[in-house]
Amino acid sequence: MKILGIETSCDETAAAVVEDGTRILSNQIASQVEIHARYGGIVPEVASRQHILSIIPIIEQAMAEAEVTWSDLAGIAVTIGPGLAGSLLVGVNVAKAIALAQGLPVIGVNHLEGHIYANWLSNSSSRSVPDFPLVCLIVSGGHSDLVLMKGHGDYVILGRTRDDAAGEAFDKAARILGLGYPGGPAVEQAARNGNATSIQLPRAWLKGTGDFSFSGVKTALLRLVERGMASTAADAAASFQEAVVDVLTTKTVAVAKEHRVKQILLAGGVAANELLRQQLRQKSSISVLVPEPVLCTDNAAMIAACGYYHFQAGKIDGLDLDVIPSLRLG
Ligand code: KG4
Ligand code: ZN
């Protein structure tokens, strides 16, 4: 069963075809990074206009790469939120137009749920699929959520950030250190030449909860730089990355143990971070699954995978489907 996925929640215009919720037949992404880089962040109005230019060619490329026609598809899955309203509207309206013209069902997908389902994807048959119950750490530009899943579509939020999301913290740290945009990859790159023990940055443990807080470590970094106390940007980047990864991994492993789950999943753009991937595997005695980096950052294959499981559960939407920019999980 083949599903076309469409993702336009932020600054990537993406389309993909996925078979049976697991096998990627195509995965096309048009990134707007260079367009927004000159502003140091995403400009919503510019993003939605760019989605309008890219969406049809990207869908055509995804269909061509997968060697499918409309009649080969079982449905169209599209991100309805959370995200930028103007950006989401482009994907949802294109999905509905195709659904109407081709007589296909449309399936609205929560972007965060999509990130989790990147863990079901593979280009080959060798990768094992996740085992329930599991705990998933979703770390993206807008979210840091710890989620318990006992089955498909069953989410219990065990923790979330009380202020900045992990990705947002990386982006702000990069700005403080003058490392450019997008921040996560820039901090990771700079940290490669730095010493993570050179500067001691605070960690907010918020004991007894699954919640996170990253505004303290960000402010501590800012104060160091303002006082000229950070030896080099590389050392500061390495120390910052170490502090954020330490909290994320320690708390995720503790929560997973407490709930006696069979597996830990990692998801979202920050999951592309190599130190986070390594440390989670090192600290956990429970099996850890992490999507390949290109499937951690925004893509449409994860939306198609998630849409397949909705479809299997009979969760199909009508042409009144609308965007929900502040959509939550669970
Ligand atoms: O999931 P995503 O692509 O978009 C959202 O749904 O927000 O996540 C984007 C976030 C950005 O904050 C970006 O800086 C961060 O993920 N990110 C990283 C890395 N790659 C992307 N953070 C740390 N290390 C990385 N390698
Ligand atoms: Zn995302």
Side-chain angles (χ1 to χ4, degrees), residues 23 121-129 289:
R23 212 162 74 84
L121 288 170
S122 79
N123 290 306
S124 66
S125 55
S126 58
R127 195 172 190 271
S128 59
V129 295
L289 263 187

Side-chain angles (χ1 to χ4, degrees), residues 231-251:
S231 45
T232 66
D235 284 350
S239 305
F240 178 84
Q241 178 177 249
E242 180 70 35
V244 172
V245 167
D246 187 15
V247 174
L248 287 174
T249 51
T250 305
K251 293 203 74 162

Side-chain angles (χ1 to χ4, degrees), residues 40 166-190 218 221-222 225 233 236-237 240-241:
E168 189 181 357
F170 269 99
D171 293 336
K172 287 177 177 171
R175 211 169 298 157
I176 291 168
L177 297 172
L179 297 173
Y181 167 90
V187 169
E188 179 167 35
Q189 181 61 33
K218 173 200 67 188
L221 181 71
L222 179 63
V225 171
F240 178 84
Q241 178 177 249

Side-chain angles (χ1 to χ4, degrees), residues 22-47:
T22 54
R23 212 162 74 84
I24 301 172
L25 302 184
S26 64
N27 189 23
Q28 294 285 335
I29 304 170
S31 173
Q32 303 178 9
V33 158
E34 283 174 20
I35 296 166
H36 299 286
R38 77 185 81 147
Y39 305 108
I42 296 158
V43 183
E45 182 65 25
V46 173

Side-chain angles (χ1 to χ4, degrees), residues 7 9 111-112 115 140-141 268-269 296-298 302:
E7 155 65 41
S9 69
H111 180 80
L112 300 170
H115 272 303
S140 70
C296 291
T297 45
D298 288 351
M302 66 187 198

